[in-house]
Amino acid sequence: MKCPFCFHLESKVIDSRPTEEGGKIRRRRECLSCQKRFTTYEIIETTPIMVVKKDKSREAFDRDKLLAGLMRACEKRQVSLQSLEKVVDTIQTAIQNTMDREIQSARIGDLAMERLKELDEVAYVRFASVYRQFKDINSFMDELKIILENKQGKTLA
């Protein structure tokens, strides 16, 4: 590992420990030339997952973009950022576990809607209105009827 101070190529590891998330290893190093200490992080190298959009264009999966969309849907709702980050983690894990290197954007939207429905119904409807691109009030009302029917079915069970 190259020293950021003197650019010497050799260093020794003084301390090594996992980060809180467990996805990285934090290493404290000491340069063998100038004896200054610095920190490095080691992560697993993964092949990026490509999202195939409706127009067939492709872009790398961006968890921040997904989180931003969920945050917009939950604006002025009592949904914590921590719970939204857990939703994104769950979706990202589900995507990575498929072992496919490409995923349809519609599948990501479906996963997000499933999680939002459990988290906050208003946020779910907001997200659905953008994701499903309701053409008119009737298609919007159809979605609301499905939610109400499911809710009534749960209370009767």
Side-chain angles (χ1 to χ4, degrees):
M1 183 61 64
K2 188 189 320 184
C3 173
F5 304 105
C6 72
F7 306 108
H8 186 72
L9 292 175
E10 294 182 41
S11 63
K12 67 179 178 181
V13 175
I14 299 168
D15 181 42
S16 185
R17 65 181 68 171
T19 58
E20 300 97 39
E21 309 90 41
K24 300 177 188 173
I25 302 284
R26 179 184 181 272
R27 300 196 192 281
R28 273 307 274 165
R29 297 178 175 272
E30 184 177 300
C31 176
L32 295 177
S33 177
C34 70
Q35 280 72 46
K36 289 191 179 180
R37 294 182 177 189
F38 57 98
T39 302
T40 61
Y41 291 90
E42 181 178 310
I43 59 168
I44 296 173
E45 184 177 54
T46 58
T47 306
I49 296 169
M50 298 305 289
V51 177
V52 181
K53 300 176 84 171
K54 289 177 187 174
D55 65 358
K56 304 296 183 213
S57 65
R58 286 165 171 73
E59 66 180 47
F61 173 76
D62 184 355
R63 69 174 277 119
D64 293 333
K65 187 174 177 181
L66 177 58
L67 181 61
L70 294 174
M71 287 172 59
R72 246 180 273 118
C74 294
E75 202 169 283
K76 296 184 182 179
R77 302 293 303 156
Q78 293 183 351
V79 178
S80 70
L81 180 59
Q82 183 179 10
S83 61
L84 290 178
E85 287 174 340
K86 284 182 185 176
V87 167
V88 173
D89 289 342
T90 304
I91 293 169
Q92 187 172 12
T93 301
I95 292 169
Q96 289 171 339
N97 287 345
T98 65
M99 302 303 287
D100 293 332
R101 295 297 92 198
E102 290 188 340
I103 186 166
Q104 299 290 323
S105 61
R107 179 68 185 131
I108 296 171
D110 290 341
L111 290 169
M113 286 181 35
E114 287 172 23
R115 301 310 184 285
L116 272 178
K117 190 182 274 190
E118 299 165 8
L119 198 60
D120 186 277
E121 290 173 342
V122 172
Y124 164 79
V125 171
R126 287 177 178 171
F127 190 88
S129 70
V130 173
Y131 169 65
R132 293 216 174 124
Q133 297 177 338
F134 294 136
K135 302 292 182 225
D136 55 30
I137 193 70
N138 291 328
S139 56
F140 191 74
M141 288 303 294
D142 292 341
E143 187 68 31
L144 290 175
K145 286 176 188 173
I146 292 169
I147 293 171
L148 290 172
E149 288 169 7
N150 288 339
K151 196 172 190 175
Q152 289 173 346
K154 286 180 184 177
T155 56
L156 297 176

